[in-house]
Short mmCIF file of all heavy atoms in Angstrom, two decimals:
data_model
loop_
_atom_site.label_atom_id
_atom_site.label_comp_id
_atom_site.label_asym_id
_atom_site.label_seq_id
_atom_site.Cartn_x
_atom_site.Cartn_y
_atom_site.Cartn_z
N ARG A 110 7.09 0.03 13.65
CA ARG A 110 6.64 -0.43 12.33
C ARG A 110 6.75 -1.92 12.12
O ARG A 110 7.38 -2.60 12.88
CB ARG A 110 7.39 0.27 11.23
CG ARG A 110 8.98 0.28 11.38
CD ARG A 110 9.61 -0.94 10.75
NE ARG A 110 11.04 -0.77 10.67
CZ ARG A 110 11.87 -1.34 11.54
NH1 ARG A 110 11.46 -2.00 12.57
NH2 ARG A 110 13.14 -1.18 11.36
N GLY A 111 6.04 -2.38 11.12
CA GLY A 111 6.12 -3.72 10.64
C GLY A 111 5.74 -3.75 9.12
O GLY A 111 5.38 -2.70 8.61
N TYR A 112 5.96 -4.91 8.46
CA TYR A 112 5.80 -5.01 7.12
C TYR A 112 4.91 -6.22 6.72
O TYR A 112 5.11 -7.30 7.35
CB TYR A 112 7.10 -5.16 6.31
CG TYR A 112 7.84 -3.85 6.15
CD1 TYR A 112 8.68 -3.40 7.15
CD2 TYR A 112 7.81 -3.17 4.97
CE1 TYR A 112 9.45 -2.20 6.99
CE2 TYR A 112 8.53 -1.99 4.78
CZ TYR A 112 9.36 -1.53 5.84
OH TYR A 112 10.07 -0.35 5.65
N PHE A 113 4.08 -6.12 5.74
CA PHE A 113 3.42 -7.22 5.15
C PHE A 113 3.57 -7.14 3.61
O PHE A 113 3.86 -6.11 3.08
CB PHE A 113 1.93 -7.34 5.57
CG PHE A 113 1.06 -6.34 4.96
CD1 PHE A 113 0.39 -6.57 3.74
CD2 PHE A 113 0.74 -5.13 5.61
CE1 PHE A 113 -0.45 -5.62 3.15
CE2 PHE A 113 -0.13 -4.20 5.10
CZ PHE A 113 -0.75 -4.46 3.85
N ALA A 114 3.40 -8.29 2.98
CA ALA A 114 3.38 -8.34 1.50
C ALA A 114 1.92 -8.74 1.07
O ALA A 114 1.27 -9.52 1.66
CB ALA A 114 4.34 -9.41 1.04
N ASP A 115 1.51 -8.08 0.00
CA ASP A 115 0.21 -8.37 -0.57
C ASP A 115 0.38 -9.65 -1.40
O ASP A 115 1.42 -10.22 -1.47
CB ASP A 115 -0.34 -7.21 -1.35
CG ASP A 115 0.27 -6.99 -2.74
OD1 ASP A 115 1.20 -7.70 -3.15
OD2 ASP A 115 -0.18 -6.03 -3.44
N PRO A 116 -0.72 -10.13 -2.07
CA PRO A 116 -0.62 -11.45 -2.72
C PRO A 116 0.48 -11.47 -3.85
O PRO A 116 0.93 -12.52 -4.20
CB PRO A 116 -2.01 -11.61 -3.29
CG PRO A 116 -2.91 -10.95 -2.38
CD PRO A 116 -2.10 -9.73 -1.92
N ASP A 117 0.92 -10.31 -4.37
CA ASP A 117 1.91 -10.29 -5.38
C ASP A 117 3.28 -10.02 -4.86
O ASP A 117 4.24 -9.84 -5.61
CB ASP A 117 1.56 -9.22 -6.50
CG ASP A 117 0.45 -9.76 -7.38
OD1 ASP A 117 0.86 -10.49 -8.32
OD2 ASP A 117 -0.66 -9.58 -7.14
N GLY A 118 3.41 -9.86 -3.51
CA GLY A 118 4.71 -9.63 -2.89
C GLY A 118 5.01 -8.16 -2.78
O GLY A 118 6.14 -7.83 -2.36
N PHE A 119 4.15 -7.22 -3.13
CA PHE A 119 4.42 -5.80 -2.91
C PHE A 119 4.47 -5.56 -1.39
O PHE A 119 3.64 -6.01 -0.63
CB PHE A 119 3.35 -4.95 -3.61
CG PHE A 119 3.43 -4.97 -5.10
CD1 PHE A 119 2.47 -5.68 -5.80
CD2 PHE A 119 4.47 -4.38 -5.75
CE1 PHE A 119 2.54 -5.67 -7.17
CE2 PHE A 119 4.56 -4.43 -7.15
CZ PHE A 119 3.63 -5.12 -7.86
N LEU A 120 5.48 -4.85 -1.00
CA LEU A 120 5.70 -4.62 0.37
C LEU A 120 5.02 -3.40 0.84
O LEU A 120 5.14 -2.23 0.31
CB LEU A 120 7.27 -4.45 0.62
CG LEU A 120 8.08 -5.70 0.30
CD1 LEU A 120 9.56 -5.41 0.49
CD2 LEU A 120 7.68 -6.90 1.09
N TRP A 121 4.31 -3.58 2.00
CA TRP A 121 3.63 -2.51 2.66
C TRP A 121 4.21 -2.27 4.09
O TRP A 121 4.28 -3.27 4.83
CB TRP A 121 2.10 -2.80 2.84
CG TRP A 121 1.29 -2.68 1.63
CD1 TRP A 121 1.21 -3.53 0.60
CD2 TRP A 121 0.47 -1.60 1.34
NE1 TRP A 121 0.35 -3.02 -0.34
CE2 TRP A 121 -0.17 -1.85 0.09
CE3 TRP A 121 0.10 -0.40 2.04
CZ2 TRP A 121 -1.09 -1.02 -0.47
CZ3 TRP A 121 -0.82 0.46 1.46
CH2 TRP A 121 -1.41 0.15 0.24
N GLU A 122 4.66 -1.07 4.37
CA GLU A 122 5.12 -0.76 5.71
C GLU A 122 3.90 -0.18 6.43
O GLU A 122 3.22 0.68 5.94
CB GLU A 122 6.21 0.27 5.72
CG GLU A 122 6.65 0.69 7.09
CD GLU A 122 7.51 1.92 7.13
OE1 GLU A 122 7.39 2.75 6.17
OE2 GLU A 122 8.34 2.05 8.05
N VAL A 123 3.62 -0.73 7.67
CA VAL A 123 2.54 -0.20 8.52
C VAL A 123 3.36 0.55 9.60
O VAL A 123 4.19 -0.10 10.35
CB VAL A 123 1.60 -1.30 9.09
CG1 VAL A 123 0.60 -0.60 9.97
CG2 VAL A 123 1.01 -2.01 7.97
#
Side-chain angles (χ1 to χ4, degrees):
R110 50 88 168 100
Y112 281 83
F113 72 88
D115 77 358
D117 283 274
F119 290 107
L120 299 177
W121 283 80
E122 176 191 30
V123 181

